[in-house]
Amino acid sequence: MTEKLSDTARQTVLEPLFSAGWEMVEGRDAIHKTYKFGDFTEAFAWMTRAAMFAEKWNHHPEWFNVYNRVEVTLSTHDVDGLSQLDVKLARKMDSL
């Protein structure tokens, strides 16, 4: 069962994500980041790689793509906020 991040966990696991460009979404318990690529093909290839992990972990991002830009928002709908699944997927996306 997935659980919402505790206050202590948030301090530990979210700070490195904020340093990597993730931001809290105003009015929601969610994080957001915009990725920029050289062109549409690079952006779409990255989305495809990220989608493979999202499907494997059954945790799907909210995302929007225009040409070389991909905007990603992560939140766990089952807990109405951030969970370890969001942290795991954010780290994976950054590593791709």
Side-chain angles (χ1 to χ4, degrees):
M1 178 81 178
T2 303
E3 296 180 8
K4 198 169 187 175
L5 288 177
S6 68
D7 290 340
T8 303
R10 286 169 184 274
Q11 292 175 351
T12 304
V13 299
L14 292 181
E15 189 56 42
L17 294 178
F18 296 152
S19 296
W22 289 89
E23 300 175 333
M24 290 299 298
V25 175
E26 189 173 332
R28 281 182 72 187
D29 191 22
I31 54 175
H32 174 85
K33 183 173 183 176
T34 299
Y35 292 90
K36 292 188 180 172
F37 300 92
D39 58 24
F40 176 76
T41 303
E42 286 181 23
F44 196 84
W46 178 86
M47 290 177 74
T48 301
R49 290 190 305 274
M52 300 300 281
F53 288 97
E55 187 64 19
K56 177 180 175 181
W57 297 332
N58 194 30
H59 189 61
H60 305 94
E62 299 170 25
W63 54 13
F64 178 77
N65 165 245
V66 174
Y67 184 58
N68 69 337
R69 188 180 80 242
V70 181
E71 297 178 23
V72 179
T73 300
L74 298 176
S75 185
T76 303
H77 301 286
D78 291 346
V79 300
D80 194 31
L82 292 170
S83 74
Q84 279 290 15
L85 287 171
D86 302 302
V87 173
K88 183 178 179 179
L89 189 53
R91 287 177 180 159
K92 178 52 74 175
M93 289 176 160
D94 284 348
S95 75
L96 297 174

